[in-house]
Amino acid sequence: MRSRQRMFAAVMRLLLKCLRLGRRRRFKLVRQVEQLWHYGHLCLRSLLYNSFTNGDVVLDSLFEPIYWLVDHVTRWFGVVFVALVIGLTSSVVAIVYICLLPLILQTYTPAWICWHLAYGHWNLIMIVFHYYMAITTSPGHPPQAKNDLTGISICRKCIAPKPARTHHCSICNRCVLKMDHHCPWLNNCVGHYNHRYFFSFCLFMTMGCIYCSISGWEMFRDAYAAIERMKLLEKERLQVAANQTYYQTPPPTFSFRQRAFHKSVVYLWVLCSSVALALGALTLWHAALITRGETSIERHINRKERQRLQKKGKVFRNPYSYGSWDNWKVFLGVDVPRHWLTRVLLPSPHLPHGTGLSWDLPSCVMEQRAPLLAI
């Protein structure tokens, strides 16, 4: 009896020791996991901590692979986009000369013929000139030597001087003076030296598309109705031909030349109307930016700065804005009244105000503000 009690007591003591040992090991394992979790969390926070981190920074980080893909695709497909612009514009011009111009010369009055010839060719010359200059003109880049400029920041990607209003283009992989954006349809950055060419191209292209859409509206209606009539007659012809022998099949109602003419007019009107809407909206957007004296990039920077100062009860003032009218004069390079004709309404390769490295008050603005300063 006693031996059984001793054996039972020994088994119970052994079981208690095992439970205590298992509990200690379990607590030790849980404690190690908690330590590893806190250590990893601390390392992650120390690596990602930034006092400037906000929702925009997080979104930019998440979309960084997409930005990389867009940058490389835009860089390689820029030539394709330029060829597409040239091809579509050439197709519209060819349709106008081959299909519409003979019809205009036969049906319009001499006054309207002179108007269409004068305005159409002037608009075409302005489009070709400004698009060529926007593609071939360098937007401007800051000098690489650090001793040439003082009191400016350094680009973190180029490790080179970065003057005011200069930004780094990830597609061109270099800094651009007064950068507005990288345009894939130009395969070039829009900056200080070609910003006027870009906007003028958008403006005159929009004007040309609106001109083609308005002047070709009646032709488009007739051509569309003719195409619908072709389809209807084609169905009737096939139905009749199904009940006849092969040699009794009636000839086509419309010739190939007539079909091509009507389809070309429809293509011309649809393309010009679509481009007029899309490019017109872009032109109005850039016109509003020019009126405020800022670029597309500066709009976002100024908006954040305006909100920051508004919280402090202060008012933000754009240091590069001289007033709506003066902003347009500075942008277009209008120094005297005759420049509205020679530099705006006619092709002109004149340079913009300033070098893009410093932003002194232009002479046209100084002359207009001199009486106010004198008072």
Side-chain angles (χ1 to χ4, degrees):
M1 186 71 180
R2 290 182 179 179
S3 62
R4 291 182 178 178
Q5 291 178 352
R6 290 177 181 176
M7 186 179 297
F8 180 76
V11 171
M12 293 300 295
R13 284 195 298 269
L14 181 61
L15 181 61
L16 290 174
K17 288 182 180 180
C18 291
L19 291 175
R20 290 175 183 175
L21 183 61
R23 186 178 302 174
R24 291 177 182 176
R25 289 181 177 178
R26 193 184 313 116
F27 288 158
K28 186 176 181 181
L29 181 62
V30 171
R31 194 179 304 111
Q32 290 178 352
V33 171
E34 290 180 352
Q35 290 178 353
L36 289 175
W37 168 259
H38 290 300
Y39 179 74
H41 184 66
L42 180 62
C43 291
L44 185 64
R45 291 191 61 184
S46 63
L47 291 174
L48 300 179
Y49 175 76
N50 192 335
S51 59
F52 297 99
T53 302
N54 52 23
D56 295 337
V57 176
V58 174
L59 288 177
D60 290 341
S61 300
L62 293 176
F63 280 94
E64 188 64 29
I66 300 178
Y67 296 152
W68 180 89
L69 181 63
V70 171
D71 290 346
H72 285 72
V73 169
T74 304
R75 182 182 305 172
W76 288 106
F77 278 85
V79 179
V80 178
F81 292 152
V82 171
L84 185 62
V85 172
I86 297 174
L88 293 176
T89 306
S90 301
S91 66
V92 171
V93 174
I95 292 173
V96 170
Y97 274 102
I98 297 174
C99 299
L100 301 186
L101 186 59
L103 188 61
I104 290 174
L105 296 176
Q106 294 175 4
T107 58
Y108 284 27
T109 61
W112 276 111
I113 292 175
C114 293
W115 155 254
H116 284 293
L117 291 177
Y119 179 82
H121 286 89
W122 169 79
N123 203 342
L124 178 61
I125 291 173
M126 297 297 285
I127 291 173
V128 173
F129 171 79
H130 287 102
Y131 188 67
Y132 174 78
M133 294 299 294
I135 293 176
T136 58
T137 302
S138 173
H141 307 284
Q144 297 297 318
K146 297 183 179 181
N147 296 328
D148 294 343
L149 299 172
T150 58
I152 58 176
S153 60
I154 301 297
C155 178
R156 293 178 295 179
K157 297 182 179 181
C158 295
I159 315 299
K162 185 179 178 181
R165 311 186 78 177
T166 299
H167 301 280
H168 185 87
C169 177
S170 58
I171 300 176
C172 298
N173 198 24
R174 62 187 308 183
C175 287
V176 177
L177 298 176
K178 192 191 171 185
M179 179 180 175
D180 187 272
H181 68 287
H182 184 94
C183 182
W185 300 102
L186 301 178
N187 195 28
N188 195 7
C189 265
V190 177
H192 178 62
Y193 288 103
N194 64 348
H195 193 182
R196 179 179 65 88
Y197 297 130
F198 164 77
F199 177 78
S200 298
F201 163 73
C202 293
L203 177 62
F204 289 112
M205 178 63 81
T206 303
M207 292 171 57
C209 291
I210 294 175
Y211 162 72
C212 291
S213 299
I214 295 176
S215 60
W217 168 245
E218 295 295 333
M219 297 181 185
F220 165 74
R221 292 178 57 186
D222 296 339
Y224 186 80
I227 292 176
E228 293 297 323
R229 192 163 58 253
M230 288 180 195
K231 295 179 180 179
L232 182 61
L233 293 177
E234 185 68 19
K235 292 181 180 179
E236 295 178 355
R237 187 182 67 84
L238 293 176
Q239 291 176 358
V240 173
N243 300 324
Q244 296 176 350
T245 59
Y246 178 79
Y247 61 87
Q248 292 176 332
T249 302
T253 308
F254 292 90
S255 63
F256 173 79
R257 184 175 182 180
Q258 291 174 330
R259 294 171 182 268
F261 174 82
H262 294 310
K263 291 181 179 180
S264 298
V265 172
V266 172
Y267 163 79
L268 170 70
W269 192 88
V270 172
L271 178 62
C272 290
S273 300
S274 303
V275 173
L277 291 176
L279 194 59
L282 179 65
T283 304
L284 291 176
W285 165 253
H286 280 278
L289 294 177
I290 295 170
T291 304
R292 295 196 295 263
E294 57 187 10
T295 62
S296 300
I297 298 177
E298 291 174 350
R299 175 187 176 274
H300 299 284
I301 298 175
N302 294 344
R303 179 172 58 85
K304 292 183 178 180
E305 187 67 14
R306 189 178 295 106
Q307 293 175 354
R308 186 184 69 84
L309 293 178
Q310 188 176 4
K311 294 179 181 179
K312 297 182 179 181
K314 300 179 181 180
V315 179
F316 172 77
R317 181 183 177 276
N318 184 8
Y320 308 110
S321 177
Y322 313 109
S324 300
W325 183 248
D326 288 336
N327 287 337
W328 278 102
K329 291 175 64 178
V330 173
F331 176 79
L332 297 174
V334 177
D335 297 327
V336 293
R338 71 171 182 273
H339 286 166
W340 290 103
L341 174 63
T342 59
R343 294 187 173 184
V344 179
L345 298 180
L346 294 177
S348 175
H350 66 277
L351 297 176
H353 286 289
T355 61
L357 303 176
S358 60
W359 300 96
D360 300 329
L361 204 61
S363 58
C364 59
V365 178
M366 292 179 61
E367 292 176 0
Q368 192 168 359
R369 293 188 177 184
L372 297 177
L373 295 176
I375 292 175

